[in-house]
Amino acid sequence: NAGVTQTPKFRVLKTGQSMTLLCAQDMNHEYMYWYRQDPGMGLRLIHYSVGEGTTAKGEVPDGYNVSRLKKQNFLLGLESAAPSQTSVYFCASRNYEQYFGPGTRLTVT
Amino acid sequence: RKEVEQDPGPFNVPEGATVAFNCTYSNSASQSFFWYRQDCRKEPKLLMSVYSSGNEDGRFTAQLNRASQYISLLIRDSKLSDSATYLCVVKVGNQFYFGTGTSLTVIP
């Protein structure tokens, strides 16, 4: 039982490049979330999903897209990366309490 | 106004001390409340949920005051391993709002 996993763990992008972050959970949770964490800001919600095939915007959705084609996977896409998207990205899933993945450290130069 | 506010600290306490963290939230529609712990460069991990009647888990006690929109966490008999950042989390609808965290260092 791996819980919540995220790939990749680290990534460096150049401005304008695109990438997809993958989150996978094996706990059969309905709800999944993508957050970013920046120094002094706490975790902020980017997008979330309440079930397979659904997505919704969170607090800071601009510049990101998401998809939930399978219940166990939640993908976060950056179409054209910007330096302001340099951050640590955490995925979480839940029925009641949230369980987090180990994070992806993304640097955009 | 931020949804959740915490004193960032840092709190530096000796082993064995009792330390309390406070948190306030702004949305009266908040439904559920949690304390998470985050170690440096790691993911947040659930410490405990916070119930209206207050609840205890070993050395940790959480309290909720809905009238004042206030949550607290008390750690008794602090251990070196308690050193971490403690995050106050509030659920509104399907969304969770995090405080910026309170840093605790327990000193030998």
Side-chain angles (χ1 to χ4, degrees), chain A residues 10 31 33 35 37 40-45 48 50 57-59 90 94 96-103 105, chain B residues 2 32-34 36 38 40-46 49-51 87 89 91 93-100:
Chain A
F10 303 92
Y31 299 84
Y33 298 79
Y35 295 91
Q37 186 173 32
M41 300 289 290
L43 275 83
R44 291 181 293 167
L45 181 63
Y48 65 100
V50 301
K57 293 181 179 179
E59 187 182 352
F90 287 106
R94 74 168 180 99
Y96 181 62
E97 307 100 350
Q98 292 186 106
Y99 294 88
F100 285 82
R105 297 183 181 280
Chain B
K2 288 184 180 178
S32 305
F33 309 88
F34 308 88
Y36 276 74
Q38 186 173 27
C40 188
R41 301 177 73 82
K42 299 282 191 178
E43 73 272 23
K45 292 188 177 177
L46 179 69
S49 301
V50 186
Y51 302 118
L87 307 175
V89 183
K91 178 176 174 284
N94 287 318
Q95 299 195 31
F96 291 75
Y97 296 92
F98 287 72
T100 53

Side-chain angles (χ1 to χ4, degrees), chain B residues 16-48:
Chain B
T18 295
V19 61
F21 304 140
N22 302 319
C23 167
T24 57
Y25 61 95
S26 61
N27 192 331
S28 59
S30 301
Q31 304 149 297
S32 305
F33 309 88
F34 308 88
W35 283 101
Y36 276 74
R37 160 194 179 126
Q38 186 173 27
D39 294 290
C40 188
R41 301 177 73 82
K42 299 282 191 178
E43 73 272 23
K45 292 188 177 177
L46 179 69
L47 181 65
M48 58 197 303

Side-chain angles (χ1 to χ4, degrees), chain A residues 11 13-21 65 77-81:
Chain A
R11 186 73 187 267
L13 286 180
K14 294 186 177 177
T15 298
Q17 288 184 319
S18 63
M19 78 164 294
T20 300
L21 283 68
N65 56 75
L78 287 73
E79 289 186 349
S80 179

Side-chain angles (χ1 to χ4, degrees), chain B residues 30-93:
Chain B
S30 301
Q31 304 149 297
S32 305
F33 309 88
F34 308 88
W35 283 101
Y36 276 74
R37 160 194 179 126
Q38 186 173 27
D39 294 290
C40 188
R41 301 177 73 82
K42 299 282 191 178
E43 73 272 23
K45 292 188 177 177
L46 179 69
L47 181 65
M48 58 197 303
S49 301
V50 186
Y51 302 118
S52 296
S53 55
N55 48 300
E56 188 174 305
D57 183 1
R59 298 181 291 108
F60 300 86
T61 301
Q63 297 280 352
L64 168 64
N65 184 322
R66 284 189 185 270
S68 301
Q69 297 186 189
Y70 170 94
I71 307 159
S72 66
L73 177 68
L74 184 76
I75 305 175
R76 292 182 299 278
D77 189 23
S78 298
K79 311 290 185 193
L80 296 177
S81 58
D82 293 334
S83 296
T85 297
Y86 290 82
L87 307 175
C88 175
V89 183
V90 170
K91 178 176 174 284
V92 182

